[in-house]
Amino acid sequence: MASDSTATLDKASSTELQSILWFDPTRILIDGQWRAAASGQVLPVENPSTGGIMGQIARGGAADIDAAVAAARRAFEGPWGRTTATERGRILMKMAELVLQRAEALAMIEALDVGKPLHQSLNDAKALARYLEFYAGAADKLMGTTIPYQHGFTVYTLREPHGVAGIIIPWNYPMQIAGRGVAAALAAGNSCVVKPAEDASVSTLAFAAIAMEAGLPAGVLNVVTGLGTEAGAALSEHPGLNHLSFTGSVATGQRIQAAAGRNVIPVTLELGGKSPHIVFDDCDLDQAMPTLVGACMQNAGQTCSAATRVLVQRGLYDEVKRRMADMYRGLVAGPAADGCDLGPLISARQKNRVSHYIELGKAELSVAAEGSIRADASADGHFVRATLFSEVPPDHRLAQEEIFGPVQVLIPFEDEAEALRIANGTVYGLIAGVWTRDGGRQMRMARQLNVGQVYLNNYGAGGGVELPFGGVGHSGHGREKGFEALNGFTRIKTVTARHG
Ligand code: NAI
Ligand code: MG
């Protein structure tokens, strides 16, 4: 696809986005019908590579959420609730086929709307298809158990869907996060209401259009675009929900959990992190090097599981610093179309947040190296230079707080105990990478790292449809992805039969 798509994206404008879309992005999907928001209002769709406005989405609010939850309830209590697991799997597989057929269009939508380099947005479209395939295959392998009990009894468990699931999606991986939530929720038999992020809603609308084409019955998947404080808050507070999942900031996650608490419903939170990459003296450094930088630069550092802290044992510290600095000097930020190492950040707001951290770091820390911004990149695009800080004290704000931009800190350590202390020394705990050839150390680290995923001699930022994923501490709770997510989207009923 490279040459054609690049040509299209080069002169991306409102007409370019419109020419890719086969649905009207100013409509929301409720009960199988595409309609305007009840308020009649819209929000702009911005291209972060240029700052240009490419179109509009509906500004949905409480009335739309009410209608969407009611439609999801009717679907759940109606035909969808009686659908067999095998049929649900077939519909999800059909959705996967259509996503793959439209992968290039989906990738272009994401490149334009989110600013992801095309190869990354194409990867996201394929990951969306993989989630659908994975949960299509899993749908009819979800079972209860029989439990040995007293003589004269047969006891078994039924694994049942919760009912109506609310899914709130952030802007950094819209397709992947919609995929992992919706595919797992539907495979387990729930219906759902999805609220995409206001900065990146178009690909979720495209996904919903594909779901309709695939024959998903009306009301099973509803999508309401709008602001977090309006549609998002209305969804999270809605008493008609039976489950909530949220991916995003800690502050919003805390509000979501409080809202779920008022309605006494289960909630899955994935709130990002400050994930460490730990490099021991005995590692295969040539193998580690590309990952040390790549695991943060993907999506310009706007990845919940980005490896933002690079902990290096003293013996290798100078060499790692020199080699990472060389790589940083080659990192180029530029428009999503241009195959640069990084695209823009999602918004002016995010650029301000990240720039503030970079300025703070420059005032208080040493800069090991910086990347560049392409000379012809639009001044209104939200670009920042990749920046590497060295000798960073583990308790410095840049080593403690999620920056969500192309910024890494290098932290030296002496031994295994210190590495663990530093690695576990933030409020977060999402994932960790460990590079060492020592098998015993691999096992010790894997057990003692306070995170939801450990990578030994590899690192999986944003990847792994099959791999249960989620955090501890302020990184959240509950697990998405893999078979484990299906446990979260279901509940157990115990049936005790006395038969003598
Ligand atoms: P956010 O948490 O406010 O937004 C994420 C989603 O929540 C969006 O769909 C938004 O519309 C919705 N939302 C916002 N306020 C809401 C509310 N009161 N009730 C219900 N839904 C609401 O994140 P934001 O402000 O866009 O980004 C700020 C920081 O959050 C980033 O710099 C990053 O550190 C972190 N973040 C982490 C993500 C992750 O993957 N874990 C994804 C996005 C942001
Ligand atoms: Mg946008």
Side-chain angles (χ1 to χ4, degrees), residues 93 96 169 263 271 292 329 439:
M93 195 58 93
I169 299 175
N263 286 323
L271 307 179
L292 294 186
R329 283 187 277 272

Side-chain angles (χ1 to χ4, degrees), residues 13 29 48 59 84 111 133 144 180-181 210 230 263 292 308 327 351 370 396 453 461 496 498:
S13 64
L29 179 65
R59 181 173 174 175
T84 64
E133 288 166 354
R180 77 188 188 197
I210 286 172
E230 297 175 357
N263 286 323
L292 294 186
T308 49
M327 292 165 81
K351 182 180 169 178
E370 282 181 294
H396 192 275
Q453 279 188 344
T496 305
R498 189 177 69 178

Side-chain angles (χ1 to χ4, degrees), residues 236-442:
S236 62
E237 287 160 14
H238 204 287
L241 292 187
N242 306 106
H243 187 275
L244 252 178
S245 3
F246 171 78
T247 305
S249 64
V250 175
T252 303
Q254 287 166 331
R255 278 188 207 107
I256 303 279
Q257 176 149 356
R262 284 191 291 278
N263 286 323
V264 197
I265 57 171
V267 57
T268 298
L269 297 179
E270 199 267 88
L271 307 179
K274 195 72 191 172
S275 297
H277 222 156
I278 307 166
V279 182
F280 285 96
D281 282 350
D282 68 344
C283 78
D284 180 339
L285 192 56
D286 289 336
Q287 199 180 50
M289 275 321 298
T291 314
L292 294 186
V293 174
C296 180
M297 290 307 133
Q298 181 182 306
N299 201 24
Q302 302 166 113
T303 305
C304 44
S305 49
T308 49
R309 295 185 294 154
V310 182
L311 280 49
V312 188
Q313 200 165 11
R314 269 288 172 207
L316 276 185
Y317 183 80
D318 289 341
E319 184 179 353
V320 169
K321 178 179 163 185
R322 180 179 53 75
R323 290 173 69 171
M324 281 184 76
D326 282 347
M327 292 165 81
Y328 262 71
R329 283 187 277 272
L331 289 174
V332 181
D338 293 343
C340 293
D341 304 299
L342 17 161
L345 300 181
I346 185 72
S347 60
R349 183 167 151 253
Q350 193 64 17
K351 182 180 169 178
N352 286 340
R353 281 174 57 92
V354 173
S355 303
H356 175 76
Y357 278 111
I358 294 176
E359 280 157 30
L360 179 74
K362 285 185 173 173
E364 298 181 359
L365 301 166
S366 22
V367 176
E370 282 181 294
S372 58
I373 298 172
R374 252 181 56 158
D376 61 349
S378 163
D380 297 323
H382 310 308
F383 302 102
V384 298
R385 286 173 209 280
T387 309
L388 177 66
F389 293 98
S390 53
E391 284 84 39
V392 178
D395 58 354
H396 192 275
R397 280 185 63 194
L398 265 71
Q400 288 287 326
E401 298 176 17
E402 185 172 62
I403 298 173
F404 235 57
V407 180
Q408 282 176 297
V409 295
L410 267 166
I411 305 174
F413 70 85
E414 299 298 332
D415 56 18
E416 203 176 303
E418 189 182 14
L420 254 179
R421 209 163 45 241
I422 297 172
N424 286 340
T426 75
V427 294
Y428 292 107
L430 192 56
I431 84 175
V434 181
W435 294 82
T436 176
R437 287 189 169 104
D438 180 334
R441 177 184 280 155
Q442 292 171 5

